[in-house]
Amino acid sequence: MTQIDHQVHPIGPVAGSRIFKFIAFLYGIAAYLVFFVTILYAIGFVMGLVVPKTIDTGTDTPVAEAVIINLLLMALFAVQHSVMARRQFKEWWTQYVPKPVERSTYVLFASLSLLLLFWQWRPLPRVVWDVANPDLAVTIVTLSLVGWVLVFTSTFIINHFELFGLHQVTNHLVGKEASPPRFKTPLLYKFVRHPIYLGFIIAFWAAPVMTAGHLLFAAVTTLYIFVGIALEEHDLIDLFGDEYRQYKQRVSMLIPWRKSV
């Protein structure tokens, strides 16, 4: 997953005022905190740890109704997450939302749609598989945690704070111009093009007890990841041209089976 941040001129002179810069900075911090709480809750939600409502708990609902509700919740997140990330939407959106807070607003909306999913998710408790061997079960849980570590590590490799909007509002606060987007492939990105998505897939599928609800969540989110990759890489080719096309030929999408040169 590679971040693209298209910059446009702020809307109106108010965007450059000192009070707006400070408010935008506070807004960016608030949006980031909402994201941080959301991603921590997501770990507990998927793994069934600590949080009050997990993927396998909640309101008892008839199977067909539960499936429909869950699919609608995931579709809402997918549409919001994909549409707001597209260049055409950003060009329209930043006519109304100032450039410095565009990324923070995107992050906030994505977090809120995920929180809605956690809140309204309907469990499907039928067990698909249950790993009885305790050592193997612990290994699978550890693998899921490795997936989450891969997600976080990959974001910091490409600038975590820019990805989640803090870099933009901080630059705006101090009057620093944003650098133009530059294509780079640090560390893990030399082996797979989308290590963040790989981490999510591992985290979602590595479950010692897989219920029907968890399986639905893992399958639909994995399908969405592949759709998201196609959309994102289309944008990256538009932005970086042959440089990204050559990267695609050299480095595999998710499984590190090609040699990087």
Side-chain angles (χ1 to χ4, degrees):
M1 181 177 181
T2 307
Q3 182 189 359
I4 310 170
D5 188 12
H6 295 278
Q7 300 294 338
V8 296
H9 293 293
I11 54 169
V14 68
S17 68
R18 289 183 180 180
I19 187 64
F20 174 82
K21 289 181 177 181
F22 184 68
I23 292 173
F25 179 69
L26 294 180
Y27 175 77
I29 291 176
Y32 180 81
L33 290 176
V34 172
F35 151 76
F36 193 73
V37 170
T38 302
I39 197 67
L40 289 180
Y41 197 101
I43 297 171
F45 179 80
V46 172
M47 297 187 68
L49 301 173
V50 182
V51 297
K53 185 176 185 299
T54 72
I55 202 167
D56 294 321
T57 62
T59 305
D60 289 333
T61 309
V63 172
E65 182 181 339
V67 170
I68 291 171
I69 290 172
N70 292 344
L71 287 175
L72 288 173
L73 290 168
M74 288 187 284
L76 175 64
F77 171 77
V79 170
Q80 177 275 321
H81 194 258
S82 292
V83 171
M84 289 188 71
R86 304 281 68 80
R87 176 179 56 83
Q88 296 87 344
F89 183 88
K90 289 182 180 183
E91 290 174 353
W92 170 80
W93 183 235
T94 47
Q95 296 177 73
Y96 309 100
V97 175
K99 169 195 69 176
V101 298
E102 181 273 327
R103 188 71 187 181
S104 293
T105 303
Y106 171 73
V107 168
L108 178 61
F109 280 24
S111 300
L112 293 176
S113 63
L114 272 180
L115 290 173
L116 176 64
L117 184 150
F118 301 151
W119 175 38
Q120 290 297 321
W121 181 265
R122 301 298 195 268
L124 294 164
R126 182 176 179 179
V127 176
V128 179
W129 71 68
D130 186 352
V131 177
N133 184 299
D135 292 334
L136 182 56
V138 169
T139 301
I140 293 172
V141 170
T142 302
L143 182 60
S144 181
L145 288 172
V146 167
W148 289 110
V149 170
L150 179 58
V151 169
F152 279 102
T153 302
S154 301
T155 66
F156 279 100
I157 288 173
I158 59 170
N159 194 337
H160 174 89
F161 297 110
E162 183 176 11
L163 190 62
F164 297 106
L166 279 180
H167 189 75
Q168 291 87 329
V169 294
T170 301
N171 279 350
H172 186 57
L173 180 66
V174 300
K176 182 179 178 181
E177 289 292 328
S179 302
R182 184 168 60 91
F183 182 68
K184 54 185 179 179
T185 57
L187 298 176
L188 296 174
Y189 291 84
K190 296 183 184 299
F191 302 98
V192 291
R193 302 198 303 272
H194 302 281
I196 294 176
Y197 292 143
L198 174 60
F200 278 125
I201 291 172
I202 294 170
F204 294 160
W205 283 95
V209 179
M210 178 66 79
T211 63
H214 192 152
L215 182 62
L216 176 68
F217 179 85
V220 173
T221 52
T222 300
L223 176 62
Y224 168 65
I225 281 172
F226 282 100
V227 173
I229 287 173
L231 293 171
E232 184 176 304
E233 293 201 328
H234 180 271
D235 289 347
L236 287 165
I237 289 171
D238 282 348
L239 184 61
F240 296 112
D242 287 341
E243 193 173 14
Y244 194 82
R245 291 189 185 94
Q246 293 167 8
Y247 177 61
K248 282 187 68 175
Q249 294 176 353
R250 188 172 69 249
V251 179
S252 60
M253 180 189 295
L254 293 169
I255 308 300
W257 62 272
R258 298 181 194 169
K259 287 185 178 180
S260 179
V261 295

